[in-house]
mmCIF file with all atom_site columns, all heavy atoms in Angstrom:
data_model
loop_
_atom_site.group_PDB
_atom_site.id
_atom_site.type_symbol
_atom_site.label_atom_id
_atom_site.label_alt_id
_atom_site.label_comp_id
_atom_site.label_asym_id
_atom_site.label_entity_id
_atom_site.label_seq_id
_atom_site.pdbx_PDB_ins_code
_atom_site.Cartn_x
_atom_site.Cartn_y
_atom_site.Cartn_z
_atom_site.occupancy
_atom_site.B_iso_or_equiv
_atom_site.pdbx_formal_charge
_atom_site.auth_seq_id
_atom_site.auth_comp_id
_atom_site.auth_asym_id
_atom_site.auth_atom_id
_atom_site.pdbx_PDB_model_num
ATOM 1   N N   . GLU B 1 52 ? -2.766 -0.318 26.021 1.00 89.00 ? 1105 GLU B N   1
ATOM 2   C CA  . GLU B 1 52 ? -4.175 -0.263 26.386 1.00 89.00 ? 1105 GLU B CA  1
ATOM 3   C C   . GLU B 1 52 ? -4.273 -0.107 27.905 1.00 89.00 ? 1105 GLU B C   1
ATOM 4   O O   . GLU B 1 52 ? -3.609 -0.839 28.636 1.00 89.00 ? 1105 GLU B O   1
ATOM 5   C CB  . GLU B 1 52 ? -4.900 -1.549 25.967 1.00 89.00 ? 1105 GLU B CB  1
ATOM 6   C CG  . GLU B 1 52 ? -4.989 -1.754 24.460 1.00 89.00 ? 1105 GLU B CG  1
ATOM 7   C CD  . GLU B 1 52 ? -3.785 -2.464 23.860 1.00 89.00 ? 1105 GLU B CD  1
ATOM 8   O OE1 . GLU B 1 52 ? -2.763 -2.622 24.565 1.00 89.00 ? 1105 GLU B OE1 1
ATOM 9   O OE2 . GLU B 1 52 ? -3.851 -2.848 22.695 1.00 89.00 ? 1105 GLU B OE2 1
ATOM 10  N N   . ALA B 1 53 ? -5.098 0.793  28.363 1.00 90.00 ? 1106 ALA B N   1
ATOM 11  C CA  . ALA B 1 53 ? -5.148 1.105  29.793 1.00 90.00 ? 1106 ALA B CA  1
ATOM 12  C C   . ALA B 1 53 ? -5.614 -0.068 30.635 1.00 90.00 ? 1106 ALA B C   1
ATOM 13  O O   . ALA B 1 53 ? -5.268 -0.169 31.815 1.00 90.00 ? 1106 ALA B O   1
ATOM 14  C CB  . ALA B 1 53 ? -6.041 2.312  30.048 1.00 90.00 ? 1106 ALA B CB  1
ATOM 15  N N   . TYR B 1 54 ? -6.391 -0.973 30.049 1.00 88.00 ? 1107 TYR B N   1
ATOM 16  C CA  . TYR B 1 54 ? -6.909 -2.086 30.834 1.00 88.00 ? 1107 TYR B CA  1
ATOM 17  C C   . TYR B 1 54 ? -5.854 -3.190 31.024 1.00 88.00 ? 1107 TYR B C   1
ATOM 18  O O   . TYR B 1 54 ? -6.056 -4.127 31.781 1.00 88.00 ? 1107 TYR B O   1
ATOM 19  C CB  . TYR B 1 54 ? -8.168 -2.668 30.182 1.00 88.00 ? 1107 TYR B CB  1
ATOM 20  C CG  . TYR B 1 54 ? -7.963 -3.243 28.809 1.00 88.00 ? 1107 TYR B CG  1
ATOM 21  C CD1 . TYR B 1 54 ? -7.518 -4.552 28.631 1.00 88.00 ? 1107 TYR B CD1 1
ATOM 22  C CD2 . TYR B 1 54 ? -8.231 -2.488 27.676 1.00 88.00 ? 1107 TYR B CD2 1
ATOM 23  C CE1 . TYR B 1 54 ? -7.342 -5.085 27.364 1.00 88.00 ? 1107 TYR B CE1 1
ATOM 24  C CE2 . TYR B 1 54 ? -8.053 -3.006 26.410 1.00 88.00 ? 1107 TYR B CE2 1
ATOM 25  C CZ  . TYR B 1 54 ? -7.607 -4.305 26.248 1.00 88.00 ? 1107 TYR B CZ  1
ATOM 26  O OH  . TYR B 1 54 ? -7.436 -4.827 25.000 1.00 88.00 ? 1107 TYR B OH  1
ATOM 27  N N   . LYS B 1 55 ? -4.754 -3.076 30.338 1.00 87.00 ? 1108 LYS B N   1
ATOM 28  C CA  . LYS B 1 55 ? -3.687 -4.055 30.464 1.00 87.00 ? 1108 LYS B CA  1
ATOM 29  C C   . LYS B 1 55 ? -2.673 -3.595 31.505 1.00 87.00 ? 1108 LYS B C   1
ATOM 30  O O   . LYS B 1 55 ? -2.165 -2.475 31.433 1.00 87.00 ? 1108 LYS B O   1
ATOM 31  C CB  . LYS B 1 55 ? -2.984 -4.265 29.131 1.00 87.00 ? 1108 LYS B CB  1
ATOM 32  C CG  . LYS B 1 55 ? -3.805 -5.012 28.097 1.00 87.00 ? 1108 LYS B CG  1
ATOM 33  C CD  . LYS B 1 55 ? -2.974 -5.344 26.868 1.00 87.00 ? 1108 LYS B CD  1
ATOM 34  C CE  . LYS B 1 55 ? -3.778 -6.176 25.867 1.00 87.00 ? 1108 LYS B CE  1
ATOM 35  N NZ  . LYS B 1 55 ? -2.983 -6.489 24.644 1.00 87.00 ? 1108 LYS B NZ  1
ATOM 36  N N   . GLN B 1 56 ? -2.378 -4.457 32.445 1.00 86.00 ? 1109 GLN B N   1
ATOM 37  C CA  . GLN B 1 56 ? -1.390 -4.105 33.465 1.00 86.00 ? 1109 GLN B CA  1
ATOM 38  C C   . GLN B 1 56 ? 0.039  -4.290 32.962 1.00 86.00 ? 1109 GLN B C   1
ATOM 39  O O   . GLN B 1 56 ? 0.950  -3.604 33.408 1.00 86.00 ? 1109 GLN B O   1
ATOM 40  C CB  . GLN B 1 56 ? -1.615 -4.949 34.713 1.00 86.00 ? 1109 GLN B CB  1
ATOM 41  C CG  . GLN B 1 56 ? -2.913 -4.621 35.447 1.00 86.00 ? 1109 GLN B CG  1
ATOM 42  C CD  . GLN B 1 56 ? -3.044 -5.378 36.750 1.00 86.00 ? 1109 GLN B CD  1
ATOM 43  O OE1 . GLN B 1 56 ? -2.396 -6.400 36.951 1.00 86.00 ? 1109 GLN B OE1 1
ATOM 44  N NE2 . GLN B 1 56 ? -3.878 -4.887 37.647 1.00 86.00 ? 1109 GLN B NE2 1
ATOM 45  N N   . GLN B 1 57 ? 0.205  -5.213 32.023 1.00 91.00 ? 1110 GLN B N   1
ATOM 46  C CA  . GLN B 1 57 ? 1.545  -5.483 31.525 1.00 91.00 ? 1110 GLN B CA  1
ATOM 47  C C   . GLN B 1 57 ? 2.008  -4.351 30.628 1.00 91.00 ? 1110 GLN B C   1
ATOM 48  O O   . GLN B 1 57 ? 1.278  -3.883 29.749 1.00 91.00 ? 1110 GLN B O   1
ATOM 49  C CB  . GLN B 1 57 ? 1.552  -6.796 30.738 1.00 91.00 ? 1110 GLN B CB  1
ATOM 50  C CG  . GLN B 1 57 ? 2.920  -7.241 30.295 1.00 91.00 ? 1110 GLN B CG  1
ATOM 51  C CD  . GLN B 1 57 ? 2.893  -8.615 29.647 1.00 91.00 ? 1110 GLN B CD  1
ATOM 52  O OE1 . GLN B 1 57 ? 1.840  -9.178 29.418 1.00 91.00 ? 1110 GLN B OE1 1
ATOM 53  N NE2 . GLN B 1 57 ? 4.064  -9.145 29.366 1.00 91.00 ? 1110 GLN B NE2 1
ATOM 54  N N   . ASN B 1 58 ? 3.243  -3.925 30.839 1.00 94.00 ? 1111 ASN B N   1
ATOM 55  C CA  . ASN B 1 58 ? 3.819  -2.857 30.034 1.00 94.00 ? 1111 ASN B CA  1
ATOM 56  C C   . ASN B 1 58 ? 4.119  -3.354 28.623 1.00 94.00 ? 1111 ASN B C   1
ATOM 57  O O   . ASN B 1 58 ? 4.649  -4.444 28.434 1.00 94.00 ? 1111 ASN B O   1
ATOM 58  C CB  . ASN B 1 58 ? 5.112  -2.336 30.668 1.00 94.00 ? 1111 ASN B CB  1
ATOM 59  C CG  . ASN B 1 58 ? 4.841  -1.547 31.933 1.00 94.00 ? 1111 ASN B CG  1
ATOM 60  O OD1 . ASN B 1 58 ? 3.858  -0.820 32.029 1.00 94.00 ? 1111 ASN B OD1 1
ATOM 61  N ND2 . ASN B 1 58 ? 5.712  -1.673 32.917 1.00 94.00 ? 1111 ASN B ND2 1
ATOM 62  N N   . ALA B 1 59 ? 3.794  -2.515 27.634 1.00 92.00 ? 1112 ALA B N   1
ATOM 63  C CA  . ALA B 1 59 ? 4.046  -2.871 26.248 1.00 92.00 ? 1112 ALA B CA  1
ATOM 64  C C   . ALA B 1 59 ? 5.537  -2.779 25.935 1.00 92.00 ? 1112 ALA B C   1
ATOM 65  O O   . ALA B 1 59 ? 6.254  -1.935 26.489 1.00 92.00 ? 1112 ALA B O   1
ATOM 66  C CB  . ALA B 1 59 ? 3.262  -1.945 25.324 1.00 92.00 ? 1112 ALA B CB  1
ATOM 67  N N   . THR B 1 60 ? 5.994  -3.656 25.050 1.00 93.00 ? 1113 THR B N   1
ATOM 68  C CA  . THR B 1 60 ? 7.372  -3.606 24.578 1.00 93.00 ? 1113 THR B CA  1
ATOM 69  C C   . THR B 1 60 ? 7.381  -3.858 23.070 1.00 93.00 ? 1113 THR B C   1
ATOM 70  O O   . THR B 1 60 ? 6.554  -4.619 22.548 1.00 93.00 ? 1113 THR B O   1
ATOM 71  C CB  . THR B 1 60 ? 8.263  -4.657 25.265 1.00 93.00 ? 1113 THR B CB  1
ATOM 72  O OG1 . THR B 1 60 ? 7.752  -5.962 24.937 1.00 93.00 ? 1113 THR B OG1 1
ATOM 73  C CG2 . THR B 1 60 ? 8.263  -4.489 26.761 1.00 93.00 ? 1113 THR B CG2 1
ATOM 74  N N   . GLU B 1 61 ? 8.298  -3.177 22.412 1.00 92.00 ? 1114 GLU B N   1
ATOM 75  C CA  . GLU B 1 61 ? 8.517  -3.358 20.974 1.00 92.00 ? 1114 GLU B CA  1
ATOM 76  C C   . GLU B 1 61 ? 10.010 -3.256 20.728 1.00 92.00 ? 1114 GLU B C   1
ATOM 77  O O   . GLU B 1 61 ? 10.565 -2.173 20.591 1.00 92.00 ? 1114 GLU B O   1
ATOM 78  C CB  . GLU B 1 61 ? 7.783  -2.279 20.158 1.00 92.00 ? 1114 GLU B CB  1
ATOM 79  C CG  . GLU B 1 61 ? 6.284  -2.428 20.052 1.00 92.00 ? 1114 GLU B CG  1
ATOM 80  C CD  . GLU B 1 61 ? 5.862  -3.583 19.160 1.00 92.00 ? 1114 GLU B CD  1
ATOM 81  O OE1 . GLU B 1 61 ? 6.674  -4.034 18.323 1.00 92.00 ? 1114 GLU B OE1 1
ATOM 82  O OE2 . GLU B 1 61 ? 4.710  -4.032 19.300 1.00 92.00 ? 1114 GLU B OE2 1
ATOM 83  N N   . ASN B 1 62 ? 10.649 -4.409 20.708 1.00 94.00 ? 1115 ASN B N   1
ATOM 84  C CA  . ASN B 1 62 ? 12.098 -4.457 20.478 1.00 94.00 ? 1115 ASN B CA  1
ATOM 85  C C   . ASN B 1 62 ? 12.827 -3.583 21.507 1.00 94.00 ? 1115 ASN B C   1
ATOM 86  O O   . ASN B 1 62 ? 12.769 -3.869 22.699 1.00 94.00 ? 1115 ASN B O   1
ATOM 87  C CB  . ASN B 1 62 ? 12.414 -4.051 19.041 1.00 94.00 ? 1115 ASN B CB  1
ATOM 88  C CG  . ASN B 1 62 ? 11.724 -4.956 18.036 1.00 94.00 ? 1115 ASN B CG  1
ATOM 89  O OD1 . ASN B 1 62 ? 11.743 -6.178 18.172 1.00 94.00 ? 1115 ASN B OD1 1
ATOM 90  N ND2 . ASN B 1 62 ? 11.103 -4.363 17.022 1.00 94.00 ? 1115 ASN B ND2 1
ATOM 91  N N   . ARG B 1 63 ? 13.496 -2.535 21.053 1.00 97.00 ? 1116 ARG B N   1
ATOM 92  C CA  . ARG B 1 63 ? 14.280 -1.706 21.978 1.00 97.00 ? 1116 ARG B CA  1
ATOM 93  C C   . ARG B 1 63 ? 13.425 -0.699 22.752 1.00 97.00 ? 1116 ARG B C   1
ATOM 94  O O   . ARG B 1 63 ? 13.931 0.034  23.604 1.00 97.00 ? 1116 ARG B O   1
ATOM 95  C CB  . ARG B 1 63 ? 15.366 -0.951 21.197 1.00 97.00 ? 1116 ARG B CB  1
ATOM 96  C CG  . ARG B 1 63 ? 16.372 -1.847 20.490 1.00 97.00 ? 1116 ARG B CG  1
ATOM 97  C CD  . ARG B 1 63 ? 17.454 -1.028 19.801 1.00 97.00 ? 1116 ARG B CD  1
ATOM 98  N NE  . ARG B 1 63 ? 16.921 -0.223 18.702 1.00 97.00 ? 1116 ARG B NE  1
ATOM 99  C CZ  . ARG B 1 63 ? 16.771 1.093  18.745 1.00 97.00 ? 1116 ARG B CZ  1
ATOM 100 N NH1 . ARG B 1 63 ? 17.122 1.778  19.818 1.00 97.00 ? 1116 ARG B NH1 1
ATOM 101 N NH2 . ARG B 1 63 ? 16.304 1.748  17.693 1.00 97.00 ? 1116 ARG B NH2 1
ATOM 102 N N   . PHE B 1 64 ? 12.147 -0.640 22.431 1.00 97.00 ? 1117 PHE B N   1
ATOM 103 C CA  . PHE B 1 64 ? 11.262 0.344  23.041 1.00 97.00 ? 1117 PHE B CA  1
ATOM 104 C C   . PHE B 1 64 ? 10.343 -0.331 24.053 1.00 97.00 ? 1117 PHE B C   1
ATOM 105 O O   . PHE B 1 64 ? 9.750  -1.374 23.759 1.00 97.00 ? 1117 PHE B O   1
ATOM 106 C CB  . PHE B 1 64 ? 10.418 1.038  21.959 1.00 97.00 ? 1117 PHE B CB  1
ATOM 107 C CG  . PHE B 1 64 ? 11.235 1.780  20.943 1.00 97.00 ? 1117 PHE B CG  1
ATOM 108 C CD1 . PHE B 1 64 ? 11.708 1.143  19.808 1.00 97.00 ? 1117 PHE B CD1 1
ATOM 109 C CD2 . PHE B 1 64 ? 11.530 3.122  21.126 1.00 97.00 ? 1117 PHE B CD2 1
ATOM 110 C CE1 . PHE B 1 64 ? 12.466 1.828  18.867 1.00 97.00 ? 1117 PHE B CE1 1
ATOM 111 C CE2 . PHE B 1 64 ? 12.279 3.823  20.187 1.00 97.00 ? 1117 PHE B CE2 1
ATOM 112 C CZ  . PHE B 1 64 ? 12.743 3.174  19.064 1.00 97.00 ? 1117 PHE B CZ  1
#
Side-chain angles (χ1 to χ4, degrees):
Chain B
E1105 294 87 349
Y1107 62 85
K1108 289 188 176 179
Q1109 292 186 340
Q1110 186 174 7
N1111 289 323
T1113 62
E1114 286 289 340
N1115 301 314
R1116 299 183 294 107
F1117 299 88

